């Protein structure tokens, strides 16, 4: 493999990770506000299918994207409404929605299977894309990939360096305290769930109109991505930068699976495709194990030096969820 | 209005809402809802053969649901149930393959195969339990990850070590000799043995959850683990126990699929019954008494919708849409009902 091929491959990793970045950051916003939207996997499928169907019917990429975003917001608002207004379990509703939207996508997408449709074109950035190596690696994408770069920084800035971001974190951690100080907790939860849903919805057309253009029903290869995004939200510790890092790691692993395939003829390609999932469990294990009682007990029994090192390593990996995640809040 | 009547009115309303939603989806796809429902009905209950087909699908779904009710009692979302069915099927196949060309009596082989299946499901479920209890990994993600690992494992076996003479294919492994098929009722695909295993299992789970101290303590753990722990219930043991019992039933579902339905290992051996079992559990609000009729209904929808691609050129995933709409409509209307009751009581108090 030449170095040029490797650079093209790595650029491909950034390109294919864009929809995962959207979904992960969308879910990060939603969960930061205290709402779990478990419907991501089905939502991505339904928004991918709807965007493709709308884009094919209207010959317009723009309306395709609008459709995908609207689907994402609609599903997310169903979760928010059933939790905030109807006090139903977010996990239950999100789970039903993830299965139902998947079947809806397969059912309604049936007539559009295998059709030729429009796709987003590349926008090489003038001058910058001509820089050797870096130009190919960073400045020769379609607008969605650029947007994914901007989104990572913007989301991080919003959550950690602005006043609305502070309020966002507050309603996910201590909603009662935030409410007393004047934050309209439930209104903001609707807002951030809709925003998160819109970003998850954006992942759909990013697949069906760009990264994996077209709609191929059950073999579209999108089933499972949403679960990865949900796991990356945890892996990222509800931090957009760390979550995006996870998305790139995932895309890199998938690419390596493809590249290494010819060297491992005994392993069927389906096995390599699912390889990132066991890694997902392992990473979740690493980031969560520090929270368990028995680890805390074991640490307390270690000699001081070993304890300091073990604690430092665990701290570095450990993530702690927003403390009001998944709960409802009565504004009274 | 009596409580009973109110309850049935609620069920009727929720079902109606789900049907209206699904009809809207059908119209959107340019199909006639009446025709679609008619073919689903005819394709599931239209003849004895069809009804026996529904019962073939009913058994594994009932087994998966039985297991899930145990983990739900302990407050756990055992999403790994799909993978547990797959592992049950793999372990069953392993025993069958090892013994098929020996002169071990068929009955012994099948009994060993079922024990192995239950064991396989239990191991996979225990993994999810260990990840949750000792690793702090949320059981939804642990289970889901294990689902994907199970899929990789089954594909590797079918295309690798267990492939058919010549080349491995999605059609699965070489079928077992006829003598190792679980006997079926003449002219149908239904095995009374499998049916008995399914019905006994849900009976056992019903008894376990409503008639034993174990069930009572398990529910205490599910409601409030900390309080249960302070009351002297060994929480960790009960959680692990729930996962293992749940896995046993899921593993049996896999064993039924291998020995009674497909007579070989296929990639889609779990047929999505794990996911469907989760939906049923939510729909029946985790009450074991309702599991048998509702799983039968869901199985009928699955079998009936096979007619849709044949008769109306529609995708058979409509059954999933209708099932999802049902669960969602029950959840949302239940929320609305409680809100309404609360409002009414507040109005009375003022």
């Amino acid at each position: 493999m030449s170095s040029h091929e490797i650079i093209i491959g790595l650029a491909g990793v950034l390109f294919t990770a864009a929809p995962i970045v959207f979904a992960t950051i969308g879910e990060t916003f939603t969960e930061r506000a205290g709402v779990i939207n478990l419907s991501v996997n089905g939502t991505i499928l339904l928004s991918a299918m709807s965007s493709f169907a709308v884009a094919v019917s209207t010959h317009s990429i723009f309306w395709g994207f609008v459709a995908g975003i609207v689907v994402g917001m609609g599903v997310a608002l169903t979760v928010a409404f059933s939790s905030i207004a109807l006090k139903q379990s977010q996990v239950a509703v999100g789970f039903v929605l993830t299965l139902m939207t998947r079947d809806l996508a397969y059912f309604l997408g049936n007539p559009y299977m295998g059709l030729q449709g429009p796709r987003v074109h590349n926008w090489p950035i003038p001058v910058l894309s001509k820089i050797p190596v870096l130009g190919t690696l960073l400045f020769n994408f379609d607008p969605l990939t650029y947007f994914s770069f901007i989104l990572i920084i913007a989301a991080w800035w919003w959550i950690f360096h602005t006043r609305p971001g502070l309020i966002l974190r507050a309603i996910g951690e201590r909603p009662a305290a935030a409410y007393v100080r004047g934050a309209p907790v439930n209104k903001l939860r609707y807002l951030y769930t809709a925003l998160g849903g819109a970003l998850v919805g954006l992942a759909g057309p990013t697949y069906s109109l760009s990264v994996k253009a077209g709609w191929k029903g059950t073999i579209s290869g999108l089933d499972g991505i949403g679960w990865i995004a949900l796991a990356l939200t945890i892996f990222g510790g509800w931090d957009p930068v760390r979550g995006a890092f996870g998305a790139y790691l995932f895309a890199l692993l998938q690419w390596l699976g493809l590249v290494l395939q010819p060297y491992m003829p005994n392993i069927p390609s389906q096995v390599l495709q699912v390889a990132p999932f066991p890694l997902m469990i392992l990473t979740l294990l690493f980031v969560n194990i520090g929270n368990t009682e028995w680890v805390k007990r074991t640490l307390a029994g270690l000699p001081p030096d070993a304890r300091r090192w073990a604690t430092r390593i665990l701290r570095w990996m450990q993530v702690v969820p927003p403390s009001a995640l998944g709960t409802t809040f009565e504004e009274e | 209005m009596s409580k009973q009547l109110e309850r049935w009115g609620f069920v009727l309303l929720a079902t109606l809402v789900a049907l209206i939603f699904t009809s809207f989806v059908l119209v959107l796809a340019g199909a006639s809802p009446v025709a679609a429902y008619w073919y689903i009905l005819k394709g599931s209950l239209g003849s004895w053969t069809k009804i026996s087909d529904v019962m073939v699908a009913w058994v594994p779904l009932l087994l998966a649901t039985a297991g899930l009710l145990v983990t739900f009692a302990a407050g756990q979302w055992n999403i790994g149930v799909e993978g547990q069915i797959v592992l049950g099927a793999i372990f069953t196949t392993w025993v069958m393959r090892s013994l098929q060309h020996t002169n071990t009596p068929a009955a012994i082989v099948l009994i060993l195969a079922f024990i192995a299946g239950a064991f396989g499901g239990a191991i996979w479920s225990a993994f999810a339990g260990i990840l949750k209890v000792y690793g702090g990994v949320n059981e939804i993600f642990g289970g889901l990850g294990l689902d994907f690992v199970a899929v990789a494992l089954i594909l590797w076996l079918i295309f690798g070590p267990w492939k058919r003479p010549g080349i491995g294919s999605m059609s699965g492994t070489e079928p077992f000799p006829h003598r190792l098929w679980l006997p079926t009722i003449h002219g149908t695909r239904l095995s009374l043995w499998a049916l008995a295993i399914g019905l006994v299992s849900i009976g056992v789970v019903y008894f376990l959850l409503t008639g034993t101290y174990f069930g009572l303590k398990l529910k205490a753990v599910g409601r409030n683990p900390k309080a249960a722990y302070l009351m002297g219930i060994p929480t960790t043991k009960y959680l692990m126990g729930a996962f293992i019992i749940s896995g046993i039933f899921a593993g049996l579902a896999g064993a039924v699929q291998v020995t009674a339905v497909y007579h070989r290992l296929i990639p889609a051996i779990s047929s999505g019954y794990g996911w469907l079992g989760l939906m049923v559990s939510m729909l029946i609000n985790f009450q074991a008494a309702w599991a048998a009729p509702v799983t039968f209904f869901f199985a009928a929808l699955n079998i009936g919708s096979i007619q849709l691609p044949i008769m109306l050129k529609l995708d058979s995933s409509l059954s999933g849409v209708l099932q999802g709409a049902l669960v969602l409509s029950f959840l949302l209307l239940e929320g609305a009902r409680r809100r309404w009751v609360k409002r009414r009581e507040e109005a009375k108090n003022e």
Side-chain angles (χ1 to χ4, degrees):
Chain A
M1 202 177 208
S2 73
S3 59
H4 183 66
E5 278 172 320
I6 291 177
I7 291 164
I8 296 216
L10 290 178
V13 167
L14 298 180
F15 173 65
T16 51
I20 308 172
V21 167
F22 294 152
T24 305
I25 292 183
E27 186 67 16
T28 299
F29 272 119
T30 308
E31 294 193 9
R32 275 280 177 189
V35 179
I36 301 177
N37 178 4
L38 212 60
S39 74
V40 177
N41 193 52
T43 305
I44 292 179
L45 282 162
L46 186 59
S47 71
M49 188 284 296
S50 324
S51 310
F52 181 70
V54 168
V56 166
S57 317
T58 60
H59 304 288
S60 154
I61 286 185
F62 173 78
W63 289 114
F65 273 90
V66 170
I69 290 168
V70 168
V71 164
M73 283 172 86
V75 179
L77 283 173
T78 312
V79 176
F81 175 74
S82 54
S83 158
I84 296 169
L86 302 178
K87 308 277 181 289
Q88 290 294 317
S89 152
Q90 291 166 8
V91 172
V93 173
F95 188 75
V96 177
L97 280 170
T98 204
L99 293 183
M100 194 178 83
T101 46
R102 179 177 68 168
D103 282 325
L104 261 179
Y106 293 149
F107 181 74
L108 292 173
N110 200 25
Y112 297 93
M113 267 202 333
L115 291 187
Q116 281 289 335
R119 62 174 299 167
V120 183
H121 293 291
N122 263 21
W123 279 12
I125 293 183
V127 186
L128 289 179
S129 62
K130 296 284 180 282
I131 306 173
V133 184
L134 271 188
T136 319
L137 190 62
L138 291 176
F139 301 113
N140 191 11
F141 292 118
D142 68 25
L144 293 157
T145 320
Y146 302 130
F147 179 62
S148 71
F149 300 155
I150 298 167
L151 180 69
I152 298 167
I153 297 161
W156 172 78
W157 174 260
W158 183 265
I159 292 173
F160 296 111
H161 294 277
T162 67
R163 199 177 146 69
L166 184 71
I167 296 169
L168 165 63
R169 282 180 287 148
I171 62 171
E173 294 284 352
R174 305 245 177 285
Y179 187 69
V180 170
R181 297 206 179 115
V185 174
N186 285 338
K187 230 181 246 170
L188 284 172
R189 283 188 170 174
Y190 274 119
L191 189 76
Y192 280 110
T193 310
L195 171 71
L199 286 171
V200 171
L202 178 62
T206 305
Y207 276 118
S208 64
L209 299 176
S210 170
V211 174
K212 285 185 179 176
W215 176 251
K216 298 183 194 71
T218 45
I219 55 159
S220 301
L222 308 183
D223 201 353
I225 295 287
W227 293 114
I228 287 289
L230 279 164
L232 288 175
T233 308
I234 303 175
F235 170 74
W238 294 268
D239 174 340
V241 176
R242 202 169 146 171
F245 171 72
Y248 291 125
L249 212 59
F250 173 78
L252 183 72
L253 282 171
Q254 281 205 317
W255 175 63
L256 283 178
L258 282 178
V259 172
L260 297 178
Q261 174 80 51
Y263 303 100
M264 295 182 284
N266 293 327
I267 302 177
S269 59
Q270 293 95 334
V271 172
L272 285 176
Q273 275 163 20
V274 293
F277 291 91
L279 286 167
M280 170 187 101
I281 312 182
L282 273 182
T283 52
L284 287 183
L285 185 63
F286 285 136
V287 299
N288 281 307
I289 200 160
N291 296 335
T292 57
E293 285 296 324
W294 73 273
V295 168
K296 285 178 190 158
R297 266 202 311 271
T298 315
L299 279 180
L302 287 177
D305 264 350
R307 184 170 59 210
R308 202 171 319 128
W309 276 105
T311 320
R312 197 173 294 169
I313 292 170
L314 281 174
R315 271 282 157 69
W316 177 67
M317 295 187 303
Q318 194 173 0
V319 297
V320 182
S323 42
L325 185 59
T327 59
T328 53
F329 175 68
E330 288 278 0
E331 295 184 347
E332 265 160 24
Chain B
M1 200 164 36
S2 77
K3 272 260 145 55
Q4 195 70 14
L5 205 65
E6 209 174 290
R7 195 69 219 155
W8 282 108
F10 175 82
V11 170
L12 205 67
L13 179 71
T15 312
L16 204 66
V17 169
L19 276 176
I20 291 171
F21 174 82
T22 313
S23 305
F24 175 74
V25 170
L26 277 161
V27 170
L28 202 64
S32 147
V34 178
Y37 297 142
W38 171 245
Y39 283 121
I40 289 177
L41 189 69
K42 228 175 102 178
S44 55
L45 305 175
S47 69
W48 284 112
T49 322
K50 301 277 192 216
I51 293 176
S52 73
D53 279 347
V54 171
M55 289 169 105
V56 170
W58 183 35
V59 171
L61 179 57
L62 190 57
L63 282 164
T65 310
L68 282 165
L69 290 171
V70 178
T71 30
F72 270 123
Q76 302 298 306
W77 281 79
N78 184 13
I79 290 200
V81 62
E82 279 282 318
Q84 292 149 25
I85 298 175
V86 169
L87 259 286
I90 290 176
F91 272 61
T92 304
T93 309
W94 175 63
V95 166
M96 304 273 279
R97 284 180 66 89
S98 314
L99 298 177
Q100 61 181 348
H101 298 308
T102 63
N103 30 15
T104 322
I108 306 271
V109 176
L110 284 167
I111 290 172
L112 289 176
F114 267 92
I115 294 173
F119 185 68
I123 289 185
W124 215 241
S125 190
F127 275 148
I130 290 168
L131 280 169
K132 163 81 181 208
V133 176
Y134 299 100
V137 178
N138 185 308
E139 74 276 10
I140 294 181
F141 294 103
L144 207 64
L146 287 165
D147 282 348
F148 285 106
V149 178
V151 171
L153 198 61
I154 198 170
L155 287 171
W156 175 69
L157 286 168
I158 288 171
F159 286 87
W162 291 354
K163 73 176 169 216
R164 285 189 168 184
I167 188 90
S169 82
M170 290 305 269
S171 65
T173 58
E174 187 77 3
F176 301 119
H178 214 284
R179 68 180 185 99
L180 291 183
W181 294 18
L182 211 57
T184 53
I185 302 173
H186 185 71
T188 70
R189 292 162 56 234
L190 178 66
S191 157
L192 282 180
W193 290 100
L195 189 62
I197 290 171
L199 290 173
V200 168
S201 296
I202 192 66
V204 166
V205 166
Y206 177 77
F207 175 71
L208 195 70
L209 293 181
T210 55
T212 64
Y213 272 117
F214 177 82
L216 201 66
K217 287 180 181 168
L218 201 61
K219 283 182 201 161
V221 173
R223 292 259 162 77
N224 191 339
K226 273 194 189 129
Y229 184 76
L230 293 177
M231 270 161 56
I233 301 173
T235 328
T236 312
K237 265 188 202 152
Y238 271 80
L239 283 176
M240 284 306 296
F243 272 106
I244 289 169
I245 294 171
S246 184
I248 288 174
F249 289 118
L252 286 176
V256 165
Q257 289 285 82
V258 170
T259 56
V261 184
Y262 292 104
H263 314 296
R264 61 182 195 274
L265 195 63
I266 60 165
I269 196 81
S270 72
S271 307
Y273 291 135
W275 299 114
L276 212 51
L278 285 156
M279 301 275 263
V280 171
S281 306
M282 282 188 261
L283 185 60
I284 61 179
N285 199 19
F286 317 114
Q287 304 297 312
W290 288 95
V294 176
T295 45
F296 185 87
F297 175 54
F298 270 40
L301 289 177
N302 267 22
I303 298 297
S305 67
I306 295 173
Q307 299 299 315
L308 295 178
I310 306 166
M311 308 306 280
L312 298 171
K313 295 206 165 46
L314 295 170
D315 198 273
S316 61
S317 53
L318 183 77
S319 56
V321 176
L322 181 52
Q323 287 153 348
L326 271 168
V327 181
L328 196 62
S329 125
F330 268 78
L331 287 176
L332 296 188
L333 284 175
E334 177 61 23
R337 190 186 66 84
R338 281 198 205 148
R339 196 183 150 122
W340 180 69
V341 168
K342 204 176 142 206
R343 283 260 170 93
R344 199 175 49 175
E345 271 165 15
E346 276 170 1
K348 253 187 220 160
N349 292 341
E350 272 164 20

